Amino acid sequence: MTAGRALPITVRGLVRRYGKVAALDGVDLDVAQGEFLTLLGPSGSGKTTLLMIMAGFTRPDAGSVKFGNVEMVRTPPHKRNLGVVFQSYALFPHMDVAANVAFPLTLRGVGGAERERRVKQALEQVQLGALGGRRVDQLSGGQRQRVALARAIVFEPGILLMDEPLSALDKKLREQMQIELRHLHRSLGTTVIYVTHDQREALTLSDRIAVIDQGQIQQIDTPQRLYEEPASHFVADFIGDSTFVPVTVAGGVARWRDVPLRLPTAPRDGAYLLVLRPEKLVLGGAPDLNGIDAEVAEIVYQGDSVRVDVRLAGGDIVTLRELARAGRIAALPPPGSIVRLGFDPADTLLVPAP
Amino acid sequence: MTAEAVADRLNAAGIRADARREKSALAALTAPSFVILGLMLFIPVGWLFWLSFIEDGAFSLENYTRMVVEPAYRSIFLTTLELSVLVTVLSVLLGYPVAYMIAMLPPRAASITLTLVLVPFWTAILVRTYAWLVLLQRRGVVNSVLMSWGIIDEPLQLVHNFTGTAIGMLHIMIPFLVLPLYANMRAIDRDYVRAAASLGASPVTAFFKVYLPLSIPGLAAGTVMVFIICLGFYITPQFLGGGRVTTISMKIQQNVATYFNWGAASSLGVVLFLSTILIFWGFSRLFPLRRITEVGGS
């Protein structure tokens, strides 16, 4: 199974209403050939609706969906030649593993030794070579997930749609499958649209992430740019454990209360929110860091790290994380102490106040 | 740790006593229905079973040999079988789309429609059978309408025969097919058909390759229920058959009420009972009924 057949996707002006609620409110999206694009958003944001419209299971009220140069919006699902992996896996319980994987080949008139060879190859690609004869109900959750994947790629579709495929797995298996999906995407070269509400999964897997809320794409960017340069309060809040404190910019200088903050680039004057993320903050800190005073409110031991909640003047609680290394926990100032909260000017991020 | 060691542990005796008490409470709650079943079912049935082997106060197989030898009995068995097969097949053909439609409706509309299917259950079978008599007789509603529209010139013989019996029974049987089938279909995740479509199956292919096989357990449960009820059906053939249709249960009634031959009636009852058990066993071997709840789960 090789790349080259992968198709770009072009979405224009997609609208879908349920009664008065717009599940999708004019969505435009360009996905490059072979790209791994994740639709990330809270439940009810419209991400699944967008995927279901691409798959052909939901009719939009208006808009265009093109695979390559071909308009697909009125094409029934069985003529779209898409691989779809469902959250429920939807493996046919009345067929064994091999029959499930062979199903799309049979429908395409592939039979005999050729079909057998391709089923075997697809199962090997998801590391399930030996399980072709098993019944579906004899498989573990992780194995079912792999069979669903094998069935979706065996007919070499140019586009693979995945609807929260890992959400039913436990954390350890989920993380392992994320890495395997990365590798599989690289070896197949297929265009992938992936829906999830798990930000870490999105960051791990994607070439680009489209953050969706209220039926609109809020920001679409690479994982790093999305995390480091969120365009809005919503994106900064949805990705990462952020705390926000109000900041004003006047005359090119940003101030939290009366404390001036150095910034990589000064934005236009106005009201902003300072994005404080646990891993960017230190207690104490050198003079070349931005610093604001705070009182230690609570210290919680969490195994790999210690969570330290500090209270700023004005009452905002900010969380920072100290890695649990030898001596570090004992050295933490006890609750009630006044400390200086330090963060690098390059990590000092403002988003427009909503 | 040995069993004795555990037995001596803290509170072990008390905890075991609690478990025992729970079990005996359950037994006490179910005992009345078991006693009633035992007294009201097994004793009379056992007595009838015994009667079927008695002729003139002595053991005899005459009641059974008569069924094989006499042509009248053979035609009764055949009529019952024909009627049951016909009504079952028509129930499947008419009931499957109904169950499918209800399963596809949103929950609220589904429960309303299901209630409509169940409304006939709230009316006595006798009342419904007489209603069909009114509709189907020579000067009944159906014939009048058909004649006034010029579709027919003469009234059709729709009742007091095999046709009328089948129509009346069909009406009563369809809910028995729809209910288990609907329960099965409701449990079939819609993703299965979507998955089939995404893999390239047209709606017709997806139905026959995926949906229909997944609905087989419910279909089998409904079919076997309808068929078994048909085999022993009495009221509708009696009232709509017009004396031209004689089923096993009608013959039983005749043997008891007209000829006072309890032995002959009992032997028919025994044969009916055994064939029902046999059919049920056959079906459950072909289609494991317990799988209804498993399909679509997980």
Side-chain angles (χ1 to χ4, degrees), chain B residues 226-254:
Chain B
V226 168
F227 190 69
I228 286 171
I229 298 174
C230 281
L231 280 182
F233 220 67
Y234 172 71
I235 292 177
T236 307
Q238 176 72 36
F239 287 85
L240 296 182
R244 293 190 184 84
V245 181
T246 310
T247 62
I248 298 175
S249 46
M250 286 164 74
K251 186 69 188 169
I252 294 175
Q253 199 269 352
Q254 226 174 50

Side-chain angles (χ1 to χ4, degrees), chain B residues 5 10 12 18 55 65-66 81 99 103 134 138 149 172 174-175 180 202 224 227 241 248 269 284 295 298:
Chain B
L10 189 62
D18 289 344
E55 188 72 25
T65 46
R66 190 190 306 123
L81 197 67
V134 173
R138 268 185 83 79
W149 286 353
I172 287 158
I174 283 179
S202 68
V224 78
F227 190 69
I248 298 175
S284 66
V295 167
S298 81

Side-chain angles (χ1 to χ4, degrees), chain A:
Chain A
M1 270 157 255
T2 49
R5 293 161 47 88
L7 290 170
I9 302 172
T10 315
V11 173
R12 287 289 176 270
L14 216 51
V15 175
R16 168 74 212 204
R17 290 177 183 283
Y18 291 105
K20 284 186 177 173
V21 184
L24 291 181
D25 193 5
V27 169
D28 296 337
L29 178 66
D30 290 283
V31 188
Q33 180 180 353
E35 185 175 13
F36 196 121
L37 183 107
T38 296
L39 306 175
L40 176 67
S43 54
S45 60
K47 57 186 192 301
T48 299
T49 306
L50 179 52
L51 192 84
M52 290 292 125
I53 289 174
M54 287 187 189
F57 302 141
T58 300
R59 276 200 186 93
D61 296 323
S64 158
V65 176
K66 283 185 181 172
F67 299 161
N69 291 319
V70 186
E71 179 60 67
M72 283 287 170
V73 80
R74 295 180 61 199
T75 307
H78 66 282
K79 291 183 181 162
R80 295 196 180 197
N81 204 38
L82 292 168
V84 183
V85 178
F86 294 83
Q87 189 171 6
S88 63
Y89 311 141
L91 297 178
F92 305 134
H94 57 300
M95 302 179 193
D96 67 12
V97 168
N100 263 282
V101 179
F103 187 79
L105 297 177
T106 311
L107 291 172
R108 284 166 176 75
V110 181
E114 167 70 1
R115 183 173 63 194
E116 223 167 279
R117 184 187 66 74
R118 285 172 68 174
V119 167
K120 194 161 163 274
Q121 188 192 350
L123 284 173
E124 273 162 11
Q125 268 177 314
V126 296
Q127 348 241 316
L128 278 184
L131 295 184
R134 289 274 186 95
R135 282 207 323 268
V136 168
D137 60 7
Q138 292 172 317
L139 301 178
S140 69
Q143 288 169 334
R144 285 177 200 209
Q145 216 286 317
R146 287 160 200 260
V147 175
L149 199 56
R151 189 177 66 176
I153 62 173
V154 70
F155 57 105
E156 301 176 21
I159 295 169
L160 194 56
L161 306 181
M162 306 178 90
D163 182 17
E164 309 225 14
L166 305 182
S167 60
L169 304 179
D170 62 53
K171 186 167 177 287
K172 216 168 187 171
L173 192 55
R174 196 160 66 226
E175 285 172 2
Q176 184 194 334
M177 283 305 297
Q178 286 168 8
I179 299 302
E180 282 185 33
L181 278 181
R182 265 178 76 105
H183 294 163
L184 194 67
H185 172 243
R186 266 186 224 151
S187 68
L188 293 176
T190 317
T191 308
V192 178
I193 308 292
Y194 191 98
V195 164
T196 185
H197 62 267
D198 180 337
Q199 45 156 310
R200 183 171 289 277
E201 193 165 294
L203 294 169
T204 305
L205 287 169
S206 318
D207 294 323
R208 282 192 305 158
I209 300 171
V211 178
I212 300 191
D213 187 44
Q214 299 184 348
Q216 287 179 327
I217 293 179
Q218 303 293 325
Q219 186 174 355
I220 177 161
D221 249 319
T222 63
Q224 193 170 354
R225 281 181 59 99
L226 204 66
Y227 191 87
E228 303 293 344
E229 298 166 47
S232 64
H233 171 250
F234 176 81
V235 174
D237 192 28
F238 193 70
I239 300 185
D241 286 325
S242 315
T243 323
F244 298 89
V245 294
V247 163
T248 51
V249 177
V253 181
R255 285 174 199 279
W256 172 75
R257 297 170 90 87
D258 287 332
V259 184
L261 302 169
R262 275 162 291 171
L263 295 172
T265 51
R268 271 187 290 164
D269 290 3
Y272 289 86
L273 293 171
L274 171 63
V275 184
L276 294 169
R277 285 185 164 144
E279 77 282 2
K280 309 280 193 197
L281 301 173
V282 292
L283 287 179
D288 58 339
L289 297 182
N290 282 323
I292 53 186
D293 289 335
E295 181 193 348
V296 177
E298 197 166 5
I299 296 178
V300 185
Y301 177 76
Q302 293 185 322
D304 60 340
S305 61
V306 179
R307 174 191 163 126
V308 183
D309 288 347
V310 299
R311 189 180 293 110
L312 306 186
D316 287 316
I317 299 281
V318 176
T319 298
L320 69 95
R321 214 162 264 293
E322 188 80 58
L323 287 178
R325 293 205 189 110
R328 299 282 275 278
I329 300 169
L332 287 173
S337 332
I338 301 298
V339 293
R340 198 177 130 87
L341 200 59
F343 44 97
D344 198 296
D347 286 332
T348 305
L349 178 66
L350 301 188
V351 292

